[in-house]
Amino acid sequence: MNNLIELTAAEIKDLADVEPQQASKRFEIIANTMSDDQLVDVIEHMDIVTLTQINSHHDISCPSIMSELMTPEQIRDIVCQQPLYWEEQIKTNADELMHHTFEFLTYLIRIQGTEEKQAAILECIAEDPAGLFYLSIPFIELILSPSAEQDTNSIYESFDDEDDGETVGYSNWQADEEAHSLAIDDPRSLLALIKQIAPDVASSIKNLLRNESSGWEQIIGKFVNELVLQAKEKNEVADEYAEVDDMFTFLD
């Protein structure tokens, strides 16, 4: 049995090195022939680079068996490693970054079967400094530069429930996303979900952003810089992102 697990993991890894999207599809096919326990063992035999490549190239419009079976710690590591694999059009454009990070987090969190696991994933990601940076990116503009429509939308009205002074954009945050019929592709929906199931994580996002004095685009640039540098330190590899200054041409 161990030999089967190792061979399967090696097959997926080899495919992920050249065709990550095909590796994702291959895992889904193999999942039909193995039990959940066996699939968990296969995942355990994969390194974080392989898991990151597969999940980053998975069709997020389709459910992912791998994401559903991964532990919160594995998902945290993927989130923290993914910036090393961002394409140029993502890493050099603030709007693309916000959209991409929102979609990836939605894919990883919404697929989970219980709120308990969703909360565990959010809490695990937020415990890592790089993970908290990543969690904050989709909401930076939403929180720091709310539009007139957001100002009048009661989705925000209960967030600023601490006596901690003014926090731009947080005074109107309401946690119950269903009550406001927010679409799943609306970042406000994920923001409300975080507040609802992991309030400590929501507070961490708030506190992180409250300590930043720059404009939201500059904050995104800083956060992405930190994400890439920390991912490289953890991965201990030299890659094409060594010149991280080139990442922020959209700030010029």
Side-chain angles (χ1 to χ4, degrees):
M1 182 62 68
N2 286 340
N3 191 44
L4 173 63
I5 298 299
E6 292 172 2
L7 288 174
T8 302
E11 176 191 353
I12 299 296
K13 181 184 184 305
D14 289 343
L15 188 55
D17 287 340
V18 292
E19 291 286 349
Q21 192 168 28
Q22 292 302 315
S24 175
K25 293 179 180 179
R26 179 60 180 160
F27 184 88
E28 298 293 319
I29 293 172
I30 291 173
N32 293 323
T33 66
M34 287 186 168
S35 67
D36 284 355
D37 288 342
Q38 289 175 315
L39 292 171
V40 168
D41 286 341
V42 171
I43 293 171
E44 288 288 344
H45 279 76
M46 296 183 191
D47 57 75
I48 190 59
V49 172
T50 299
L51 293 176
T52 303
Q53 289 173 327
I54 292 173
N55 282 275
S56 296
H57 289 83
H58 182 80
D59 181 358
I60 61 175
S61 66
C62 302
S64 167
I65 296 173
M66 176 178 284
S67 296
E68 192 172 1
L69 293 176
M70 286 190 300
T71 65
E73 291 76 17
Q74 288 168 330
I75 292 176
R76 173 204 61 206
D77 291 345
I78 287 172
V79 166
C80 293
Q81 283 289 305
Q82 199 210 30
L84 290 176
Y85 303 94
W86 280 339
E87 297 177 358
E88 191 71 21
Q89 67 188 50
I90 294 174
K91 66 181 182 179
T92 58
N93 185 290
D95 290 330
E96 287 282 348
L97 278 166
M98 287 188 294
H99 180 70
H100 178 78
T101 51
F102 163 68
E103 283 200 332
F104 195 57
L105 288 171
T106 297
Y107 150 69
L108 290 173
I109 294 168
R110 295 282 190 182
I111 189 64
Q112 307 305 326
T114 66
E115 286 190 354
E116 288 76 12
K117 187 173 181 185
Q118 289 177 331
I121 290 168
L122 288 165
E123 290 163 0
C124 190
I125 294 173
E127 288 173 357
D128 189 296
L132 185 58
F133 284 142
Y134 196 111
L135 278 176
S136 301
I137 287 176
F139 314 120
I140 290 177
E141 182 183 16
L142 188 66
I143 291 168
L144 298 182
S145 301
S147 66
E149 178 184 356
Q150 292 160 9
D151 282 339
T152 59
N153 191 318
S154 60
I155 186 67
Y156 302 96
E157 67 187 11
S158 70
F159 184 82
D160 204 1
D161 53 3
E162 304 172 35
D163 186 14
D164 54 9
E166 290 297 322
T167 306
V168 176
Y170 276 89
S171 59
N172 295 317
W173 189 354
Q174 159 54 250
D176 188 354
E177 56 179 335
E178 292 185 359
H180 299 277
S181 301
L182 292 175
I184 197 171
D185 60 352
D186 188 332
R188 293 173 299 170
S189 175
L190 182 58
L191 196 61
L193 178 65
I194 294 172
K195 169 63 177 175
Q196 181 180 345
I197 66 174
D200 288 345
V201 174
S203 295
S204 295
I205 292 173
K206 171 186 176 181
N207 292 333
L208 178 66
L209 295 177
R210 185 173 54 186
N211 291 330
E212 297 293 333
S213 58
S214 304
W216 65 268
E217 286 191 336
Q218 285 71 34
I219 294 173
I220 287 178
K222 174 184 174 182
F223 284 9
V224 174
N225 189 20
E226 289 292 334
L227 278 166
V228 172
L229 291 176
Q230 291 187 38
K232 288 176 65 177
E233 288 177 1
K234 291 175 183 177
N235 221 27
E236 297 182 350
V237 295
D239 53 53
E240 63 176 327
Y241 302 101
E243 298 296 329
V244 293
D245 289 342
D246 292 340
M247 295 176 58
F248 308 119
T249 56
F250 67 94
L251 299 178
D252 296 337

